[in-house]
Amino acid sequence: MKKILIIFSALAVLFTACETDFNVNAAWEETIVVYGLLDASTDTQYIRINKAYLGEGDAIRMAQYPDSINFNPSSLDVIIYKLESNDTADIVQLDTMLIIKDSLDVNGNPGLFSIENNIIYSAVFPSAFFTSGNNYAIWIRNLDSGNQVWATTEVISDFSFKNTNLLINFPFGFYNPDLPDTSRVLSKTIEWNKSENGTIYQLDLIFNYLENGILKSLVWSQPLEYSEGGPTMQSKLEGEKFFNFLSQNLTPDVNVIREFTHLDLVMTVGTENLETYIKVNEPITGISQQRPSFTNINNGIGIFSSRFTHIVNNLDLSDDTKDYLINELGRNFQ
């Protein structure tokens, strides 16, 4: 699960010319930070709720204290509403749970924020709660301060690949030794139907294998695809990139024995608000280093939107592709 980590740091400005100290910290005001993506493909939903903070001193040091970023669990009332024609059709009350947070970031370095009392708000939802054509609202109230935030979103309620039976019954062929040398490495095109309310699509191919008898997986993520034009979309899985991905992520080692087991194909679909949020938070590459802001949380900051996850399990590689892994890749496949 993706998490929103927000720091508001304090700076003290000293004007020595007039010998006057100016404190740029405004009076404290509670700011609720929300990160939540409803996913109709699963019955359990998770919402991350934190507080932004501002104070004198080192903001990074303050981030090490759970109280700086977490609300008292008994202080927040969190409800998801199902809306039909602006009327409430159903409600679900969320409760708190603690999750274990990795003490290291994606680069293996210690994280900035406290990993103690890592609080998530969650609930198991009824099977018919998420349906197309309805809107969904989150309402959060701090029982101590009376502060309230809210947001609404549509949901993505389904997804389908085109010709799913072909994916299941016909293996992925990334190599054919019977073709000329320059044509032996092949590509496979995956097609799908656009989902209602879906504007951004992330396709992942999960390569599952045994390494000395232990099941492991590699996730080959494809570039994001954005909805344009007609009712269908596609993504090309290039064989050369597939083999390069395996070579870069599997270390040559004569002491290991690897065996391919199966592929999983995963599509994650997001709404327009999620698309906007992702684009706004992409790395800055231009001359201007000013990053625009985006939030759809009323009286707070963050994102409340929707995604849908569709998985096709136990797909196979062609025999020629498996032979390539064994005889050509050089990564001890058998």
Side-chain angles (χ1 to χ4, degrees):
M1 174 179 304
K2 302 179 181 174
K3 302 175 179 65
I4 298 178
L5 305 177
I6 299 179
I7 302 178
F8 289 88
S9 58
L11 299 175
V13 181
L14 178 63
F15 293 88
T16 57
C18 59
E19 297 183 353
T20 302
D21 292 342
F22 290 87
N23 187 352
V24 299
N25 286 346
W28 182 84
E29 181 179 349
E30 179 178 279
T31 301
I32 297 178
V33 183
V34 182
Y35 180 82
L37 297 176
L38 301 179
D39 190 338
S41 64
T42 180
D43 60 357
T44 305
Q45 309 298 319
Y46 302 93
I47 306 293
R48 182 70 186 246
I49 304 172
N50 291 110
K51 57 182 175 182
Y53 63 89
L54 178 67
E56 301 289 349
D58 187 344
I60 294 191
R61 181 180 295 274
M62 285 186 280
Q64 304 300 315
Y65 297 96
D67 290 346
S68 294
I69 57 176
N70 292 326
F71 288 97
N72 185 331
S74 63
S75 297
L76 294 188
D77 193 20
V78 183
I79 300 175
I80 301 291
Y81 293 86
K82 179 178 182 178
L83 305 176
E84 291 183 357
S85 301
N86 294 323
D87 291 329
T88 300
D90 202 353
I91 66 171
V92 173
Q93 181 96 30
L94 275 64
D95 202 355
T96 57
M97 63 177 292
L98 293 179
I99 64 171
I100 303 300
K101 179 182 175 183
D102 197 336
S103 60
L104 303 179
D105 63 19
V106 293
N107 298 315
N109 300 315
L112 296 177
F113 290 91
S114 169
I115 62 172
E116 299 177 27
N117 300 329
N118 203 35
I119 301 169
I120 294 290
Y121 294 78
S122 70
V124 176
F125 283 61
S127 59
F129 190 85
F130 297 111
T131 52
S132 61
N134 297 111
N135 285 330
Y136 296 82
I138 187 170
W139 179 75
I140 303 168
R141 182 164 68 101
N142 187 328
L143 302 176
D144 295 332
S145 67
N147 190 25
Q148 302 180 50
V149 303
W150 65 96
T152 60
T153 183
E154 67 275 10
V155 297
I156 302 165
S157 59
D158 62 2
F159 172 85
S160 64
F161 286 109
K162 293 188 69 176
N163 301 321
T164 300
N165 288 336
L166 291 179
L167 292 173
I168 296 173
N169 296 323
F170 290 88
F172 282 56
F174 290 119
Y175 186 76
N176 186 344
D178 297 328
L179 296 175
D181 289 348
T182 57
S183 305
R184 290 179 178 177
V185 178
L186 308 174
S187 299
K188 187 174 183 68
T189 299
I190 306 298
E191 297 182 295
W192 62 89
N193 302 304
K194 291 181 182 178
S195 295
E196 183 179 358
N197 300 322
T199 67
I200 185 171
Y201 297 79
Q202 172 72 67
L203 181 66
D204 294 323
L205 185 69
I206 302 179
F207 180 86
N208 301 283
Y209 64 101
L210 295 174
E211 184 173 283
N212 289 344
I214 300 173
L215 183 62
K216 296 187 175 183
S217 299
L218 294 173
V219 180
W220 185 33
S221 294
Q222 304 307 300
L224 291 173
E225 301 282 352
Y226 300 98
S227 177
E228 295 179 356
T232 62
M233 298 176 66
Q234 65 180 32
S235 179
K236 180 183 287 188
L237 303 179
E238 299 181 26
E240 183 176 359
K241 292 182 178 179
F242 172 71
F243 293 128
N244 286 340
F245 168 78
L246 295 180
S247 296
Q248 293 169 4
N249 288 276
L250 296 171
T251 304
D253 189 343
V254 296
N255 295 315
V256 302
I257 297 175
R258 298 184 174 108
E259 180 182 355
F260 166 75
T261 59
H262 65 282
L263 302 172
D264 298 317
L265 198 63
V266 181
M267 178 65 82
T268 306
V269 189
T271 62
E272 183 176 4
N273 274 339
L274 181 57
E275 175 185 347
T276 302
Y277 183 83
I278 290 173
K279 287 182 175 179
V280 165
N281 287 280
E282 288 176 345
I284 298 174
T285 57
I287 295 175
S288 173
Q289 295 298 297
Q290 184 174 3
R291 184 186 298 277
S293 61
F294 173 80
T295 179
N296 69 339
I297 307 297
N298 295 286
N299 200 38
I301 55 177
I303 177 78
F304 177 67
S305 189
S306 170
R307 66 180 175 186
F308 190 90
T309 307
H310 180 78
I311 304 175
V312 181
N313 297 114
N314 298 317
L315 302 175
D316 204 358
L317 290 171
S318 68
D319 289 340
D320 288 333
T321 305
K322 294 176 186 176
D323 289 340
Y324 184 92
L325 296 181
I326 295 171
N327 301 316
E328 304 292 339
L329 192 67
R331 293 299 184 268
N332 289 64
F333 279 93
Q334 296 187 2

